[in-house]
Amino acid sequence: MNKKIVIIIGAVLFIFMLWFGASSINKLIEREMNEKVQGSLNVILNSLGVGQMEIKPTVLFFFNSECEHCQWEVKQTQENIGLFKGYQLLFVSFEPRTEAIDFLRKHNLSQYYLEAAPDKVMSTFKGGVPQTFIYKNDNLVKHFKGEVKIEAILNALQN
């Protein structure tokens, strides 16, 4: 009887270790694929179904209008918009276009809205909002997850 229990426990532990290992490998593969997509502005734009854009320093904000952190970040961007002269700003959201545009319009940032199908946005960006991507020469130089101060964004653009 004791021998059967030990064998069953051993088998369960072995199966758990196999599952955990496979799960970890899948997460690493998914992370690597995301980094490839997000590593280039033109690749990310293509995955969103948007054509190529001018290659210049770019700040891409992934947001949702109902997110308090996104609201704060957008407000900070609006208040410091003059500091972004010479940089390309893009705002992308998975929510319906009208909601995203109305939100950005309240902050005088609707001209920076990048329209993309919600399913393409969700498959391109993994994780929550807000996320901020800084690109130079089409390459990702900094990726912020969560709320980020304008100073940190500007520092990434200037260095």
Side-chain angles (χ1 to χ4, degrees), residues 87-130:
Y87 302 118
Q88 181 169 246
L89 298 179
L90 302 172
F91 288 85
V92 66
S93 179
F94 56 85
E95 62 192 328
R97 179 186 189 282
T98 54
E99 290 177 28
I101 288 285
D102 287 346
F103 170 68
L104 291 173
R105 191 173 288 128
K106 289 178 189 176
H107 297 282
N108 297 317
L109 298 171
S110 60
Q111 68 270 28
Y112 304 112
Y113 178 66
L114 182 64
E115 187 170 355
D119 61 325
K120 289 186 178 188
V121 173
M122 292 306 293
S123 66
T124 301
F125 298 98
K126 302 296 182 194
V129 290

Side-chain angles (χ1 to χ4, degrees), residues 46-104:
N46 285 333
S47 69
L48 291 171
V50 179
Q52 292 189 357
M53 293 189 164
E54 182 181 352
I55 301 298
K56 65 187 217 179
T58 300
V59 182
L60 188 144
F61 297 95
F62 175 46
F63 76 98
N64 181 291
S65 64
E66 295 180 6
C67 164
E68 290 180 27
H69 301 287
C70 299
Q71 293 167 4
W72 180 85
E73 199 166 314
V74 167
K75 184 179 178 200
Q76 293 300 305
T77 303
Q78 174 196 17
E79 291 173 359
N80 294 283
I81 195 68
L83 299 174
F84 289 100
K85 258 191 177 127
Y87 302 118
Q88 181 169 246
L89 298 179
L90 302 172
F91 288 85
V92 66
S93 179
F94 56 85
E95 62 192 328
R97 179 186 189 282
T98 54
E99 290 177 28
I101 288 285
D102 287 346
F103 170 68
L104 291 173

